[in-house]
Amino acid sequence: MAINSDYNEVATRIVEARKKHPEGILQPLDPTTPYKIETIGDKTFIVYAAAFYRTPDDPRPGIGIAWEPFPGITNFTRNSELMNAETSAWGRALVAAFAADTKRGIATSLDVRTREAERQTQYGPSDDQGWPTVKDPGEQLVTKALLSRLAAQFATLGVAGRDEGLMTIGALIGVQVSSTKELTNAQASQLIEALDPLTKADDPAAALAAALRQAMAGAPEATDDAA
């Protein structure tokens, strides 16, 4: 995977930003609480929110948020979880401020390297068509039929971007993957079952937003008692 040629380094984005905004500065969105620890299901994450101020009195700085599993899944991320989250948030804040090029995507090479390292830890090497293989033969990776059904649900719910889709997966079923192809059949079926009633709501996008807020807050699932 040619990461450096396909994705920008955060350092590259900082250089671009300094040229456009010489007075610019990166700092935590809330300097008194630079990061938070969030728990979703049985998973723990370090969440970092960064802000890029184009000028010292910038009224609307670019804001970027990133999270990392804790403890890190790989040797690359373990004991560096907070630093990785901070650096990723910096890269996104620069993009949000239109201070860095997005021709090669919002994700940075750090994001891709981290997720790829996790994928290699959890899964075996990809096959000749780019599909990952699981190390445990008892867990079958998601079929294309289930992926098609999931894609249709995402479309109905207004989930358009990759990052939004992965965040939805993490929030609703507590699974962190870098691609829907890395889901197992069981995980994909669990996600499809969770999304199915949302797609049938009068406003699917609003129903999904409410479900995500509920999941992120750790609230119990709401029941529909309406007659």
Side-chain angles (χ1 to χ4, degrees):
M1 184 175 186
I3 293 174
N4 288 336
S5 63
D6 293 336
Y7 296 88
N8 278 343
E9 293 279 359
V10 174
T12 301
R13 294 185 179 181
I14 291 176
V15 171
E16 292 177 5
R18 286 176 63 87
K19 291 179 180 178
K20 294 180 180 178
H21 307 285
E23 295 184 320
I25 185 172
L26 282 161
Q27 66 177 54
L29 178 61
D30 180 357
T32 63
T33 309
Y35 68 93
K36 294 182 179 179
I37 305 297
E38 298 285 353
T39 301
I40 299 178
D42 61 349
K43 306 292 185 181
T44 301
F45 301 88
I46 292 179
V47 183
Y48 193 99
F52 176 69
Y53 292 83
R54 304 168 188 84
T55 61
D57 58 350
D58 189 346
R60 301 187 67 180
I63 297 171
I65 299 175
W67 68 358
E68 285 293 330
F70 183 86
I73 297 173
T74 72
N75 291 333
F76 176 69
T77 56
R78 196 171 299 117
N79 299 325
S80 299
E81 299 90 347
L82 179 55
M83 292 81 87
N84 285 336
E86 179 184 52
T87 303
S88 293
W90 283 356
R92 292 175 180 275
L94 292 170
V95 168
F98 296 145
D101 179 27
T102 58
K103 290 181 180 178
R104 291 186 287 179
I106 294 175
T108 66
S109 58
L110 172 65
D111 297 329
V112 177
R113 248 193 326 267
T114 302
R115 301 288 82 82
E116 176 64 12
E118 290 174 354
R119 190 195 70 76
Q120 292 291 349
T121 298
Q122 295 177 335
Y123 303 89
S126 301
D127 62 18
D128 56 3
Q129 294 183 333
W131 286 72
T133 58
V134 287
K135 292 182 178 180
D136 181 356
E139 292 186 351
Q140 296 298 317
L141 284 175
V142 60
T143 63
K144 293 183 179 181
L146 286 177
L147 278 180
S148 295
R149 185 174 175 186
L150 181 58
Q153 287 183 317
F154 276 176
T156 299
L157 295 166
V159 179
R162 173 180 175 277
D163 288 349
E164 186 179 355
L166 298 183
M167 182 273 291
T168 299
I169 293 170
L172 295 186
I173 65 173
V175 174
Q176 301 304 309
V177 291
S178 60
S179 167
T180 52
K181 290 182 179 181
E182 294 177 359
L183 293 169
T184 64
N185 280 331
Q187 291 167 343
S189 297
Q190 181 185 358
L191 180 61
I192 287 170
E193 183 177 353
L195 294 176
D196 188 57
L198 305 180
T199 63
K200 298 175 182 177
D202 292 336
D203 187 339
L208 175 62
L212 291 177
R213 286 195 300 270
Q214 194 173 72
M216 294 294 286
E221 290 189 6
T223 57
D224 186 4
D225 296 328

